[in-house]
Amino acid sequence: MLNAADLDTLFLTFRVASLATLLLLLLGTPLAWKLARSRSRWKGVINSIVALPLVLPPTVLGFYLLVLMGPAGLVGKFTQWLGIGTLPFSFGGLVVASVLYSLPFVVQPLQNAFVAMGEAPLEAAATLGAGPLDRFFSVALPLAKPGFLTAGVLGFTHTVGEFGVVLMVGGNIPDKTRVVSVQIYNHVEALEYGQAHWLAGGLLIFSFLVLLLLYNSQQTQALTQSLK
């Protein structure tokens, strides 16, 4: 069974994932919109930077975030100047690392959704007198709703399952930075396979059910649109 420490790590993990997903959607939406509509020669460079976490080893990203946010890093010096200290080995550091590591899982579905809707709906709204902001909020966002669902689900579940980045940036501090993936590692290291099974199995079932609901929702939406 899950003990008190396991429940604490689950609660902390879902707190980090919820806040990170909210920030990802807020930051990722304008970025995805810009990338979907941009014809700049820098578009490929920005797309590559956004997608880096897909191919970069988590420990590499975690290491450079640790250096950047540490006392001698640019971000670390700035946060110290603000009077909030440094971000590594803190809840805030976990959130920042999670946002950067899960960024492509949110930006790419949104970008694809914005591209898929085409120019016709926006051009039609423009002929009716809608301004850029009105076209974005009244036309683009509703049409991209499936993309937002996919982005939110993938961003949240990916953040829940992070290990390398959060271990490098957050460490293994009980009730502060110890998330569920790190707790599973602790159980395995202590040969507590029974406890590890409870947490690992729970995450396995959770991830499967979330993805099943997502794909069923996409299939239902596709069927509904084909019947219209």
Side-chain angles (χ1 to χ4, degrees):
M1 293 292 292
L2 299 178
N3 56 34
D6 294 335
L7 294 175
D8 288 340
T9 60
L10 284 170
F11 178 67
L12 177 63
T13 300
F14 284 106
R15 278 180 59 207
V16 171
S18 299
L19 183 55
T21 302
L22 177 61
L23 292 174
L24 281 164
L25 290 173
L26 290 175
L27 298 173
T29 298
L31 177 57
W33 175 251
K34 183 66 176 178
L35 289 172
R37 300 183 59 77
S38 174
R39 292 182 175 85
S40 169
R41 61 179 179 178
W42 296 103
K43 180 178 179 179
V45 175
I46 298 174
N47 273 322
S48 299
I49 293 173
V50 170
L52 263 180
L54 294 174
V55 296
L56 200 64
T59 49
V60 173
L61 179 60
F63 169 71
Y64 283 112
L65 286 176
L66 188 63
V67 172
L68 189 63
M69 297 190 297
L74 291 176
V75 175
K77 290 179 179 179
F78 179 67
T79 55
Q80 289 178 97
W81 178 77
L82 291 176
I84 60 176
T86 55
L87 292 175
F89 311 112
S90 69
F91 179 83
L94 285 182
V95 173
V96 171
S98 298
V99 167
L100 292 175
Y101 189 52
S102 295
L103 188 63
F105 292 87
V106 171
V107 171
Q108 290 185 354
L110 291 178
Q111 185 178 348
N112 292 336
F114 288 140
V115 170
M117 70 184 184
E119 295 290 334
L122 298 173
E123 292 173 353
T127 60
L128 296 175
L133 284 178
D134 193 20
R135 293 198 298 270
F136 177 73
F137 286 104
S138 301
V139 179
L141 289 187
L143 289 176
K145 190 183 297 182
F148 278 94
L149 176 61
T150 302
V153 169
L154 292 181
F156 185 86
T157 53
H158 186 256
T159 302
V160 168
E162 289 173 11
F163 176 72
V165 170
V166 295
L167 184 61
M168 293 288 289
V169 174
N172 190 4
I173 307 173
D175 301 323
K176 189 175 181 181
T177 63
R178 181 182 292 172
V179 294
V180 66
S181 57
V182 177
Q183 182 72 344
I184 293 173
Y185 176 80
N186 289 339
H187 284 314
V188 173
E189 192 175 40
L191 301 180
E192 297 169 347
Y193 291 154
Q195 292 296 111
H197 273 305
W198 278 100
L199 284 175
L203 285 185
L204 176 63
I205 295 171
F206 168 77
S207 300
F208 173 76
L209 290 177
V210 168
L211 291 175
L212 180 63
L213 290 173
L214 173 63
Y215 287 125
N216 283 343
S217 174
Q218 291 177 336
Q219 186 176 4
T220 301
Q221 289 175 349
L223 180 61
T224 302
Q225 290 176 356
S226 66
L227 294 176
K228 288 183 179 180

